[in-house]
Amino acid sequence: MTEENKLILERKKKLEAIKLDNKPYPNDFRKKNQSEDLIAKHTDTEKEILAEKNINVSIAGRLLTIRNMGNSSFANLHDEAGKIQIYLQKKQVGEEQYNLFNNLDLGDIVGLEGILFKTKTGELTINVVTIRLLTKSLRPLPEKFHGIADIEIKYRQRYLDLMINQETKKLFKTRSRIISSIRNFFNEQEYLEVETPMMHMIPGGASAKPFITHHNSLDLDLYLRIAPELFLKRCIIGGYEKVFEINRSFRNEGLSVKHNPEFTMIEFYCAYQDYIYLMSIIENLFTNVLNSIGLNSNIKYQEQEISFSKPFECIKFYDSLEKYAPDILISQICDMEYLKKYCSQNQIKISDNASIVKIHLEIFEKVIEKKLINPTFVTHYPTEVSPLSRSFDESPDLVERFELFIAGREIANGFSELNDPIEQSKRFKAQVELNDDEKMSYDQDFVTALEYGMPPTAGAGIGIDRLIMLLTDSASIRDVLLFPHMKPKKL
């Protein structure tokens, strides 16, 4: 029997003993106080004044530190808000309850009532009058649990990380506040929040490899959504002029510090606007989000200084190649042999049938992206790699599109929408002919919808997980996902 199993067995025996005199797992204790509120309100109260006030409290939480000193004991009780010290005296709580406390383990959840006081060292403490075991913890906490350093435990057993690490709790509260501020911003801009399907008949809305599932009753393969774009544009066609969706999307790609197979994003669409409007509203959105979590326009991310001061830098796609890849001869940017040689020399993998434009994009992703530290809009993308974007009237090979990069990572993508059904049909057909796992499918239903007429529209998507990484100085996307995808644990 392993040491852990021995401890579990011992705890189970304690539970059986407790059952003789107490109802296990009661559900009639109602807490009235939170540790954070008590500390905020009474930390500065002088010891004598606190004693005169005789403040009664009722609190519940998990025991994570116990210091027994014979006929009295100290312990730390942790609740959602933080922790507070408790003090038990045998003569105060009685022999039965004190014996119960002496048989408690780290991790047990208790409810207690008592009176606030300050110790000789000035620490706010609860002098316990009554204590009850609410939940027995049958498993021992990990070694050195006060600072879980094992990444595997932090990600696989996030509940332990949340249980023990107040910084982790704080991070996910910040995540919630960021998402709320994004939602509030668009509500204030009079956008309508909608919900669209997560299972699609065909993969679409972005270029990525989809997950496939199966509908048993219909005997039909379905695809988890790559993006909600085409359904949101159907809403615009139907007559709504401003819509948004904070959504979960799925892409069948590898795991990395910036990729998780399922992720959170926001997509928003506005009729009678263009891509320039989108860049402006994103700048205003980011200012709003920073203010909502108490940050100014200058932050530090992984030792990099990043300024969100407006306006963000803006550069055209091909100008960025010239500026940030000076070793590329722009005069030979359309020379296939030169580009292949350049990619080979710089360890940039390209497929044998890659077009010149696809090679340009590969060079951009491998060489340029990492150099875009401060918020930078890259505009004027090639039409070939932007099948849903509207082309410039004067330059049909380029589209009214941008991608926003911060700290060397793509954060947002937006464009003036292609609303010409004939041109959209042609582009879908061109996608179908590609030998690429990430190509889009031909969406006849969407083309049909376009044929009814979609007004001039602009739409964008923002990766919320990556934005939260930036604003919480988190190195990996797994740090900002409560339950990130993990490879199966080897038995």
Side-chain angles (χ1 to χ4, degrees):
M1 184 180 292
T2 66
E3 187 64 29
E4 182 181 51
N5 286 339
K6 289 179 182 177
L7 292 172
I8 292 172
L9 183 60
E10 183 179 324
R11 290 187 177 211
K12 286 182 176 179
K13 288 180 179 178
K14 288 183 179 180
L15 177 61
E16 291 302 317
I18 290 169
K19 286 180 179 179
L20 297 176
D21 300 310
N22 298 274
K23 180 181 179 181
Y25 304 105
N27 192 24
D28 58 352
F29 183 88
R30 303 292 176 258
K31 63 181 292 186
K32 298 176 182 178
N33 303 100
Q34 290 273 58
S35 62
E36 185 178 51
D37 296 336
L38 294 174
I39 291 170
K41 189 173 181 179
H42 300 292
T43 291
D44 295 331
T45 305
E46 292 184 9
K47 181 178 179 179
E48 293 75 17
I49 295 176
L50 193 63
E52 290 175 5
K53 289 184 174 182
N54 198 40
I55 299 170
N56 290 281
V57 298
S58 170
I59 197 166
R62 193 181 296 271
L63 296 173
L64 292 181
T65 306
I66 298 174
R67 303 180 297 282
N68 193 299
M69 297 175 290
N71 290 325
S72 64
S73 298
F74 282 96
N76 284 341
L77 182 138
H78 291 235
D79 60 11
E80 181 184 357
K83 67 177 181 178
I84 191 167
Q85 183 170 261
I86 65 172
Y87 174 65
L88 289 91
Q89 287 181 299
K90 187 174 182 179
K91 64 181 181 180
Q92 173 75 39
V93 299
E95 184 171 353
E96 183 179 339
Q97 287 202 12
Y98 196 72
N99 288 338
L100 168 67
F101 178 80
N102 281 337
N103 281 288
L104 296 181
D105 294 297
L106 297 180
D108 287 351
I109 298 172
V110 300
L112 59 89
E113 295 176 347
I115 300 170
L116 285 180
F117 78 103
K118 283 192 173 180
T119 63
K120 292 179 181 179
T121 59
E123 183 171 356
L124 189 67
T125 305
I126 300 172
N127 187 5
V128 177
V129 176
T130 63
I131 185 168
R132 294 178 62 192
L133 175 66
L134 304 181
T135 302
K136 182 66 183 170
S137 175
L138 297 180
R139 284 186 175 271
L141 297 173
E143 290 185 16
K144 302 179 181 178
F145 65 87
H146 284 297
I148 291 179
D150 190 324
I151 294 297
E152 283 282 306
I153 292 177
K154 286 175 71 75
Y155 295 156
R156 289 188 189 278
Q157 296 175 277
R158 179 69 82 184
Y159 50 88
L160 290 176
D161 190 26
L162 292 169
M163 185 189 303
I164 292 158
N165 191 338
Q166 286 297 323
E167 286 303 310
T168 300
K169 273 187 181 174
K170 181 180 177 182
L171 187 152
F172 285 103
K173 285 185 176 181
T174 300
R175 178 188 173 99
S176 179
R177 288 166 56 200
I178 289 171
I179 293 174
S180 293
S181 71
I182 291 172
R183 175 174 279 110
N184 293 338
F185 176 85
F186 282 100
N187 285 333
E188 290 169 2
Q189 297 290 321
E190 298 185 338
Y191 278 75
L192 177 71
E193 184 171 10
V194 298
E195 295 171 293
T196 63
M198 296 177 72
M199 293 190 295
H200 294 178
M201 296 286 287
I202 60 173
S207 296
K209 189 174 181 180
F211 285 98
I212 303 173
T213 187
H214 189 77
H215 192 296
N216 290 336
S217 295
L218 297 178
D219 192 22
L220 180 71
D221 282 343
L222 295 171
Y223 302 87
L224 298 185
R225 72 175 166 204
I226 295 171
E229 175 167 343
L230 300 184
F231 282 96
L232 290 172
K233 286 197 277 195
R234 285 173 171 89
C235 294
I236 298 293
I237 293 168
Y240 293 119
E241 294 186 1
K242 289 182 173 182
V243 296
F244 78 97
E245 182 175 10
I246 296 175
N247 63 88
R248 298 288 280 184
S249 290
F250 307 83
R251 298 185 184 179
N252 202 344
E253 57 192 14
L255 302 172
S256 75
V257 295
K258 58 182 181 179
H259 292 103
N260 194 68
E262 59 176 307
F263 56 96
T264 303
M265 62 189 297
I266 178 172
E267 287 204 8
F268 62 98
Y269 293 80
C270 184
Y272 310 108
Q273 289 290 357
D274 64 7
Y275 78 107
I276 295 173
Y277 159 83
L278 297 175
M279 292 191 288
S280 174
I281 201 170
I282 286 174
E283 288 181 353
N284 292 335
L285 169 65
F286 282 19
T287 297
N288 185 276
V289 170
L290 287 165
N291 290 338
S292 74
I293 58 173
L295 296 177
N296 58 35
S297 59
N298 296 305
I299 69 168
K300 181 174 283 189
Y301 177 72
Q302 303 296 293
E303 305 305 320
Q304 298 177 109
E305 299 288 341
I306 296 176
S307 174
F308 283 89
S309 298
K310 296 187 290 185
F312 295 173
E313 184 181 349
C314 191
I315 188 171
K316 295 178 180 178
F317 178 82
Y318 283 107
D319 289 345
S320 73
L321 293 180
E322 186 172 6
K323 179 177 180 179
Y324 293 105
D327 51 335
I328 292 180
L329 298 176
I330 297 301
S331 60
Q332 293 182 282
I333 197 69
C334 292
D335 184 331
M336 181 66 83
E337 293 305 314
Y338 169 78
L339 292 176
K340 287 182 177 180
K341 183 178 179 181
Y342 177 87
C343 290
S344 176
Q345 291 172 342
N346 290 274
Q347 289 78 51
I348 300 173
K349 292 183 179 180
I350 56 173
S351 60
D352 294 335
N353 61 344
S355 67
I356 282 180
V357 169
K358 281 290 184 68
I359 295 175
H360 294 162
L361 190 64
E362 286 292 330
I363 293 172
F364 176 86
E365 291 177 352
K366 299 300 187 297
V367 178
I368 311 302
E369 280 189 16
K370 61 188 176 185
K371 298 180 181 180
L372 304 177
I373 305 304
N374 279 317
T376 303
F377 290 115
V378 177
T379 67
H380 293 65
Y381 274 78
T383 301
E384 181 182 322
V385 294
S386 311
L388 300 171
S389 308
R390 184 186 189 279
S391 297
F392 285 98
D393 293 334
E394 68 281 7
S395 304
D397 290 337
L398 300 175
V399 292
E400 297 180 13
R401 174 189 172 192
F402 67 84
E403 286 190 322
L404 174 62
F405 295 89
I406 309 174
R409 292 172 183 156
E410 178 198 345
I411 301 296
N413 179 30
F415 39 84
S416 305
E417 303 293 339
L418 177 60
N419 63 342
D420 177 347
I422 297 173
E423 176 63 22
Q424 185 64 82
S425 179
K426 289 179 182 177
R427 295 206 198 164
F428 277 152
K429 288 176 181 176
Q431 284 285 305
V432 171
E433 293 172 2
L434 295 175
N435 181 23
D436 189 341
D437 288 341
E438 297 186 353
K439 66 185 179 183
M440 290 189 195
S441 299
Y442 189 96
D443 192 334
Q444 179 59 58
D445 183 75
F446 178 67
V447 173
T448 299
L450 279 182
E451 289 173 343
Y452 283 97
M454 183 173 79
T457 300
I462 301 171
I464 288 179
D465 301 320
R466 291 187 184 179
L467 178 60
I468 293 170
M469 285 174 63
L470 277 171
L471 301 185
T472 59
D473 194 16
S474 299
S476 170
I477 195 170
R478 294 183 180 185
D479 294 329
V480 301
L481 300 175
L482 270 171
F483 304 103
H485 185 77
M486 302 285 287
K487 292 180 181 179
K489 194 172 184 180
K490 293 181 180 179
L491 299 178

